Structures are given as structure tokens and as C-alpha cells.
Amino acid sequence: MPPPVRSFSSDDAGAADLPRPVPGGLLARGAAGLFPGYFAFVMATGALSVAAHLLALSWLAWALLVTGSIGYLLLWWLTLVRIFRFPAQLVADLHDHTRGPGFFTLIAGTSILGSQYLLIADSVLTARLLWILAVALWIVVTYWFLTAVTVREAKPSIGKGINGAWLLVSVATHSIAILTVLLPWSAEALPAARFFALCMFLVGCMLYLAIIPLIFYRLTFVRLPMASLTPPYWINMGAVAIATLAGSTLILYASPGALVYGFLPFLKGFTLFYWAAATWWIPLLVGLTVWRHAVARYPLDYSPQLWGMVFPLAMYTTGTSRLAEALSLPLLEAIAWPFMVLALTAWAGTAAAMLLHVTRALQAGRAGRGP
């Protein structure tokens, strides 16, 4: 993984942040400036892997599982180095309105990887361990971050303090709901597990509905420089795409007589509502992206934020495929396949750009110029 140099956007979101001088080699510099949202790589890779599995592309699903696992371990290595060697910088990021939401990619990446191991590798133990880690991280990051940004005295304006990355709070919550439903539970634990999953689904929906009006207000009523129209805004769509997947999973696993079974009419309507919302976002986000680069001539170069655009495309594919099964609407499968191709193309292009970025960073570091 490259030593990241960007953060979630404010008014200067498109420009690279200059890293603080850090003693040590490439590992130390990479860990010190680790982009909090870099686990979006694991999220995007995992969502695409699950989509490939659902569309019976098993070879692709396995390849992406291996790739995502390697990336996950490397990112955790850098994160642990940062925790023990640069805790002040990590805490400062966690308390920041624009960088803090990136930590929720760690939770979502962990949960989605757990779903991959369960669905593709049939490894219940690995999935269960990842579920435990994801739940623990969700509790710590959610309440630490939200408490920190609530009690701080100096707060940014809405134009500088919020963007699509805030919806990662909802994404992380829904990712745990999905893995909870998929895991096998004992007969005694199953009712509690399904109740927990249903509650997490509802909390994720609440968080989306609480945050999206602020983001929509910023987009339509606050001056938005092209530098601020960054890829994390695609999470506006990705958050409702994963809500679609969570709702569809609850529907598919609801058994007669269980608590969730009584919520089926509500779940079907609410899940379809979120899929419709995700679909509505796509033309607007495509138009804004084209405007940014083709009309406003904003340069397109690699940034870890790009994974925040790949993930929604992959998750829309997965959510649509599951919804087609949950509502018995085979016509939706016709939508899933083109988006699979689009998501895979976006993933491959972003991965190639990332590898080039890594190569250049390593060469620059060995030459003594820093990454």
C-alpha cells in the first residue's frame, strides 16, 4: 500500500496534503500519514467479489478475495504501526470532521471481508472472528468519533465539515447487519442474532436519513468548488446500495414464525425504497463527475478517495442482484450484469493507478526525496 497523502475533502479537497516530517523509513512515513479511509479498497474489492459470487463468476470472486485479504493485512499492519508509534496523529484524525469518517471504512471493510469468507471460502471461523472485530470497532469508532465532533468547541461550517464520507457511518452499520444475518447461529442464539441484525439495519437507515439532508443541502445551497466535488460523494449512492443489500438479506433469511418474518411487508417496501434512491443518485453523480473533469477541467489523478467511487458501483451490483432474488424480480438481473462490468472496469483502472502510485512512491523514497 502507498503512503497516503490525501484526506476527505474540504474546500481544498483535491490537493495533496503535505505530510509532517517523520523520522524513519518508508514504513514509518506511510503509517504516520495513513489515509483513514484507505480500507475503502477492501470494501470495494469485497463488494465486487460478492457480486461476482452471486453472478456465478467463482474464479473472479476467489481472486478478489485473495487480493482483498492481502490489502486488509497490509493496511492493518500500517494501522498498528500508527497506533503504537503515532497515536497523536491518529487521534487528531479521529476527531476531525473531514478525516474522521474515514475510520468507518475499517469497520465496513472488516464486515465485508467476513461476508466474503463465509460465502466464497465457507470459512465460518474466520467470518465469526471478523464479525467480533467489526462489532468492537463499530462501538469504539462510532461513539468516539461522534462524541469528539459533538463536544469540540471549534467546528467547521457545513460547507467545509460534511461530505459523502459521513455516510460511511451508515455503511459500516449495514455491513455488520449483513454479516450477522449470514453467520450460522445456534438455535438458542438465532433469535437474538436476527433481532440484532434487524436493529442494526434500522439504525443504519436512521443514520442515512439523518445525514443525507445535510449533504443534499451542501450540494444545492452552498458554494461547491470543483476541488470539493470528490469521489466520496458517490457514497451518497453506495450507502443506499448497501442498505438494499442488508434489507434483501434480511428478507431472504426470514423464516416463518421468527420476529423478522413479521416485518417482511415493511422490509420489502423500505428495501425497494432504498434501491430506488440508489438508482436515482446514479445519473446525478455521473453528471457531476463528467462536469468536474470534462467541463471544469479538473485533473483526474490517483487518490485513495477513488475507492469511494468504486465501492458504490460494486455494491449497487450486489444489492441489485440480491433484491432481484428477494422480491422475485428477475428483470433486475439485467441491470446487475452491466453494472458488474462497469464496476470491474472501475476497479481495474483504480487498482492499476494505485500500483503505479506505489511504484513511484517507493522509487522516490529510495532516492531520498520522500514519497
Side-chain angles (χ1 to χ4, degrees):
M1 286 295 152
V5 294
R6 294 178 186 265
S7 63
F8 280 118
S9 64
S10 59
D11 283 342
D12 59 350
D17 298 328
L18 293 176
R20 303 181 187 93
V22 175
L26 284 173
L27 173 62
R29 292 197 296 274
L34 183 66
F35 175 57
Y38 227 125
F39 278 87
F41 165 76
V42 182
M43 293 166 56
T45 305
L48 191 59
S49 177
V50 173
H53 171 75
L54 294 176
L55 296 176
L57 300 172
S58 58
W59 63 271
L60 180 58
W62 269 102
L64 291 168
L65 171 59
V66 173
T67 302
S69 299
I70 294 171
Y72 183 77
L73 293 175
L74 288 173
L75 285 167
W76 256 115
W77 182 31
L78 289 172
T79 300
L80 290 173
V81 171
R82 195 177 196 219
I83 289 172
F84 290 106
R85 292 192 58 183
F86 311 102
Q89 294 186 30
L90 183 142
V91 171
D93 280 350
L94 188 54
H95 290 192
D96 188 85
H97 276 73
T98 56
R99 295 189 298 275
F103 286 94
F104 288 94
T105 63
L106 199 163
I107 302 165
T110 299
S111 296
I112 293 172
L113 188 63
S115 297
Q116 285 178 268
Y117 271 99
L118 197 59
L119 293 172
I120 300 166
D122 197 26
S123 178
V124 176
L125 177 60
T126 304
R128 197 176 298 281
L129 291 174
L130 289 170
W131 178 83
I132 293 170
L133 178 59
V135 172
L137 289 169
W138 185 86
I139 293 170
V140 173
V141 174
T142 299
Y143 292 104
W144 188 335
F145 169 70
L146 292 178
T147 299
V149 297
T150 298
V151 302
R152 65 180 296 180
E153 294 184 6
K155 298 183 181 182
S157 65
I158 194 170
K160 293 183 178 180
I162 195 168
N163 56 45
W166 270 71
L167 290 170
L168 288 167
V169 182
S170 174
V171 170
T173 306
H174 279 135
S175 70
I176 292 177
I178 295 165
L179 182 54
T180 304
V181 175
L182 294 177
L183 279 169
W185 300 93
S186 66
E188 296 77 15
L190 184 60
R194 294 290 166 82
F195 177 73
F196 174 72
L198 177 61
C199 289
M200 291 296 279
F201 170 73
L202 295 173
V203 169
C205 292
M206 177 273 292
L207 290 168
Y208 182 86
L209 294 174
I211 295 169
I212 195 62
L214 301 176
I215 294 174
F216 199 82
Y217 173 82
R218 189 200 179 195
L219 285 172
T220 53
F221 287 96
V222 178
R223 179 180 175 273
L224 191 68
M226 285 300 103
S228 297
L229 196 60
T230 48
Y233 275 107
W234 276 83
I235 302 173
N236 296 1
M237 183 270 280
V240 273
I242 196 172
T244 301
L245 178 60
S248 299
T249 306
L250 281 165
I251 293 167
L252 289 169
Y253 281 76
S255 54
L259 174 67
V260 176
Y261 194 79
F263 284 83
L264 278 182
F266 165 78
L267 282 173
K268 289 180 178 180
F270 214 30
T271 301
L272 184 58
F273 161 75
Y274 274 115
W275 179 83
T279 305
W280 179 87
W281 272 111
I282 294 171
L284 177 60
L285 292 169
V286 169
L288 292 173
T289 302
V290 171
W291 177 269
R292 186 186 194 223
H293 298 292
V295 178
R297 304 289 183 179
Y298 194 86
L300 177 62
D301 56 359
Y302 175 74
S303 162
Q305 295 181 75
L306 285 173
W307 292 112
M309 183 168 65
V310 179
F311 163 74
L313 293 172
M315 185 51 67
Y316 183 81
T317 305
T318 306
T320 300
S321 180
R322 274 299 202 191
L323 183 66
E325 184 181 357
L327 299 185
S328 300
L329 290 173
L331 62 92
L332 293 183
E333 289 290 353
I335 299 175
W337 274 103
F339 269 89
M340 178 68 195
V341 175
L342 179 61
L344 182 58
T345 302
W347 186 93
T350 306
M354 183 179 72
L355 290 175
L356 181 61
H357 181 75
V358 171
T359 302
R360 289 175 175 172
L362 291 174
Q363 290 173 347
R366 287 168 183 164
R369 299 192 304 270

